[in-house]
Amino acid sequence: MLTVDLPGFGGTPKPKGSINIGDMAEVLGDTIDELGATNVVLVGHSMGAQWVTELANKRPELASALVLIGPVVNDRRRNFFVQATRLLRDALRESPKTNWIAITDFWRCGLPWYLRQTRYMLSYPIEQRLAKVRVPVLVLRGARDPIANMQWCQRLTGHAHDGSLAVVPGHAHVVQHTAPVEVAERILAFVARCSTRDATT
């Protein structure tokens, strides 16, 4: 498994201009090319779910499956203030360690950069783009996630050509950090189902 920090995030240098969802997807695709990876299971959390969905559209030959963890943004709540409120609500449900990581990440990327990226995040129609993806898709959420709530994740799963939904009880939006074993188990089980099905077709 490889984790990629895209431009402006995770302490990487920020580009001079804004980078939209399509640009991020291209950078991710170029990185995968440089690594020589093939038959990739693309995993994205929160806004990262948009990047991997867009990459699966732009470069379908790269992806064997797609995993969207806490995907954003709910198509019925594409409003900055609504999302900000839900982010604060989520902070009350996360562990102090998880909140500290989030705060330091926001600090490193800076408010101006974050706000520019938020504009793209709010306008990206992930449900429409996901409908064009032809590989299996797993939508995964923490049961206490107020950002990617159950109704939204069910609707999003329904947009996928071959979608399934998994829920980790007792955890919120940053479930991959607070419940890494449970998240890994669900992803591995999903990949195993995909592999078994491919072998029998």
Side-chain angles (χ1 to χ4, degrees):
M1 177 180 290
L2 297 174
T3 301
V4 179
D5 287 326
L6 291 175
F9 295 90
T12 60
K14 289 185 279 293
K16 292 182 180 179
S18 297
I19 296 185
N20 61 31
I21 304 299
D23 295 333
M24 286 291 193
E26 289 183 11
V27 171
L28 181 56
D30 290 344
T31 302
I32 293 172
D33 289 340
E34 290 178 10
L35 293 170
T38 58
N39 203 35
V40 178
V41 177
L42 297 173
V43 181
H45 168 253
S46 199
M47 190 175 182
Q50 299 182 340
W51 299 336
V52 297
T53 298
E54 189 61 22
L55 178 57
N57 273 274
K58 287 178 171 290
R59 301 280 306 278
E61 76 282 1
L62 286 180
S64 63
L66 204 58
V67 179
L68 311 180
I69 305 174
V72 296
V73 175
N74 188 327
D75 60 347
R76 297 176 183 174
R77 293 184 173 87
R78 287 192 175 128
N79 176 283
F80 177 81
F81 295 104
V82 170
Q83 292 302 312
T85 299
R86 290 183 176 271
L87 184 63
L88 290 173
R89 186 185 303 174
D90 180 70
L92 298 176
R93 302 179 182 184
E94 303 287 0
S95 68
K97 183 178 180 180
T98 301
N99 282 328
W100 176 250
I101 291 172
I103 290 169
T104 54
D105 281 348
F106 283 132
W107 179 264
R108 284 189 296 177
C109 76
L111 184 60
W113 172 260
Y114 177 75
L115 291 176
R116 287 200 300 271
Q117 296 310 119
T118 298
R119 176 182 60 184
Y120 298 124
M121 179 187 74
L122 290 172
S123 63
Y124 183 74
I126 187 171
E127 70 285 354
Q128 296 175 24
R129 299 298 283 162
L130 189 63
K132 298 181 179 181
V133 171
R134 287 296 176 263
V135 297
V137 177
L138 174 66
V139 177
L140 195 157
R141 67 178 294 270
R144 302 183 69 237
D145 185 348
I147 297 170
N149 65 25
M150 189 63 173
Q151 292 76 17
W152 159 239
C153 287
Q154 288 173 330
R155 288 201 309 277
L156 188 60
T157 302
H159 281 281
H161 173 71
D162 181 5
S164 56
L165 175 64
V167 180
V168 179
H171 293 269
H173 189 60
V174 196
V175 62
Q176 78 281 4
H177 178 73
T178 57
V181 173
E182 292 89 339
V183 168
E185 288 175 346
R186 283 159 175 77
I187 293 175
L188 290 173
F190 164 69
V191 173
R193 289 196 303 273
C194 295
S195 299
T196 301
R197 186 173 54 188
D198 289 344
T200 56
T201 57

